[in-house]
Amino acid sequence: MRFGRKRKGTTLSPKAREALNGYLFTSPWLLGFLIFVVGPMIGLIWLSFHRWDLIGDPRFVGWRNFERLFRDRLFLKSLEVTVIYGLGRVPLGIIVALGTALLLNNRRIKFIGIWRTIYYMPVVLPPVAISLVWMWIYNPRYGILNSTILQLFGVPGPRWLDDSALVLPSLMIMAVWGAAGRNMIIYLSGLQGISNELYEASSIDGAGYWRQFWRITLPLLTPIIFFNLITGMIDTFKLFTQAYIMTEGGPRNQSLFFTYYLFQKGFQQYQMGYAAAMTLIVFIIIMGLTLLVFRWSRAWVFYEGEIKRGDY
């Protein structure tokens, strides 16, 4: 018998142990992703090829739901309304939030913490409560916008939510007011993350405020602008509360957003298979737009390491 000989064990190598620990720590998220994201997506694809009224058994209909989509005038109208709304709301939200962040980044302003809190408050308010408040603001008879503000200038107040030409701009303004606080905080963190050395070096080279903004601040904020662009685009296709509470898709379907039309088909008319097909098509549209924006971002998104002395 030989003493002192080490037995070959089954212990893992440090690299394998590190990988195992990583999978163990991420397993709750992975399980949640598989159960609550991948599972419903597979069910959605399966349901889009069936006809189901929530009561009987699903009946296979093949591609009929998808063929019906492109003959559905209201479905195409809902996409048109959603896209037009997004083209106005997303750029306007980026501009307003960025401007607010630039103002609130000045530490010389008194009570700066209070002002930041006030601008962020709409983010934590319930969407239903916000919709009801703005319905009162836009009321043509006793709303504060018509009866107080416009009346001071002698301007006749329009019917904001009942006018086909004004309903979308009215909802855009409301959305920008609600989302500006969230985006403002993100921009503010980006502004505070820009190194002061860049501004000091540019000042030595004779760059003024606006030149610093266009050459340093704005380029280094492009990753955050890119993030807010993507999230704003996705949020556009998720808008539901305003249409459901404030306009019900009117007037003349001018606020018939995709999610509200999806709700009508799925939960009012009980056409769940058709609603699943609608969701799948819009999911493909969102993925396509997101990939296009990612490709486009290579031309205008910059990072701090890409800006050198002399670029300003």
Side-chain angles (χ1 to χ4, degrees):
M1 179 179 294
R2 298 181 180 179
F3 297 95
R5 183 178 180 181
K6 295 183 179 180
R7 296 178 59 187
K8 293 183 178 180
T10 57
T11 57
L12 297 175
S13 64
K15 186 175 181 180
R17 187 182 297 111
E18 182 180 0
L20 179 60
N21 291 334
Y23 284 119
L24 289 175
F25 279 113
T26 58
S27 59
W29 182 88
L30 290 173
L31 289 175
F33 179 76
L34 292 174
I35 295 173
F36 298 109
V37 178
V38 176
M41 282 297 300
I42 295 174
L44 175 73
I45 296 173
W46 177 84
L47 188 59
S48 65
F49 293 97
H50 293 75
R51 179 178 297 170
W52 186 38
D53 59 1
L54 290 176
I55 299 175
D57 295 330
R59 185 163 61 90
F60 181 77
V61 294
W63 294 94
R64 292 182 186 176
N65 288 328
F66 296 95
E67 295 172 355
R68 178 185 167 191
L69 279 175
F70 299 98
R71 298 193 304 266
D72 189 345
R73 181 179 58 85
L74 289 180
F75 171 70
L76 299 177
K77 180 65 177 180
S78 69
L79 291 181
E80 176 188 349
V81 169
T82 304
V83 170
I84 293 175
Y85 172 84
L87 291 175
R89 182 261 185 194
V90 175
L92 185 61
I94 290 175
I95 294 172
V96 171
L98 178 56
T100 305
L102 290 171
L103 290 175
L104 297 181
N105 191 44
N106 189 351
R107 297 183 179 274
R108 291 176 294 180
I109 298 177
K110 293 183 178 180
F111 310 111
I112 189 66
I114 297 177
W115 287 112
R116 291 173 180 175
T117 303
I118 292 174
Y119 277 96
Y120 187 76
M121 281 184 63
V123 180
V124 300
L125 296 176
V128 175
I130 292 176
S131 300
L132 293 175
V133 169
W134 278 90
M135 285 181 68
W136 169 69
I137 293 174
Y138 284 137
N139 188 279
R141 293 184 59 187
Y142 52 82
I144 188 174
L145 188 56
N146 283 2
S147 63
T148 303
I149 299 177
L150 295 182
Q151 191 175 13
L152 291 176
F153 299 94
V155 178
R159 303 180 64 87
W160 297 96
L161 299 179
D162 296 327
D163 192 322
S164 300
L166 294 177
V167 61
L168 277 185
S170 301
L171 295 177
M172 290 176 193
I173 294 173
M174 171 186 167
V176 170
W177 175 84
R182 179 192 64 188
N183 295 339
M184 177 269 296
I185 290 295
I186 301 175
Y187 284 123
L188 194 59
S189 65
L191 288 171
Q192 295 178 355
I194 298 176
S195 175
N196 288 328
E197 296 179 356
L198 294 173
Y199 293 111
E200 293 172 358
S202 64
S203 298
I204 295 174
D205 291 343
Y209 174 81
W210 285 108
R211 192 172 185 85
Q212 290 177 344
F213 173 77
W214 289 109
R215 296 289 187 173
I216 298 176
T217 306
L218 192 61
L220 291 180
L221 286 179
T222 50
I224 299 177
I225 295 175
F226 171 63
F227 171 79
N228 286 330
L229 176 62
I230 293 292
T231 56
M233 183 178 65
I234 295 174
D235 288 342
T236 297
F237 283 90
K238 293 164 54 180
L239 187 143
F240 172 76
T241 305
Q242 293 88 330
Y244 180 71
I245 294 178
M246 301 176 66
T247 64
E248 296 183 351
R252 299 177 183 177
N253 296 321
Q254 293 303 311
S255 63
L256 184 66
F257 292 96
F258 163 74
T259 47
Y260 183 68
Y261 187 58
L262 175 69
F263 167 77
Q264 288 181 329
K265 287 298 180 183
F267 296 98
Q268 290 183 339
Q269 301 176 15
Y270 304 109
Q271 301 179 20
M272 294 302 295
Y274 185 61
M278 291 172 53
T279 305
L280 189 59
I281 291 297
V282 171
F283 172 75
I284 295 173
I285 293 174
I286 293 175
M287 289 297 296
L289 291 175
T290 303
L291 291 175
L292 286 177
V293 173
F294 265 94
R295 293 291 298 272
W296 178 46
S297 67
R298 299 176 183 175
W300 59 275
V301 176
F302 304 95
Y303 298 93
E304 186 171 356
E306 299 176 10
I307 295 183
K308 303 177 181 179
R309 187 186 177 102
D311 289 345
Y312 35 78

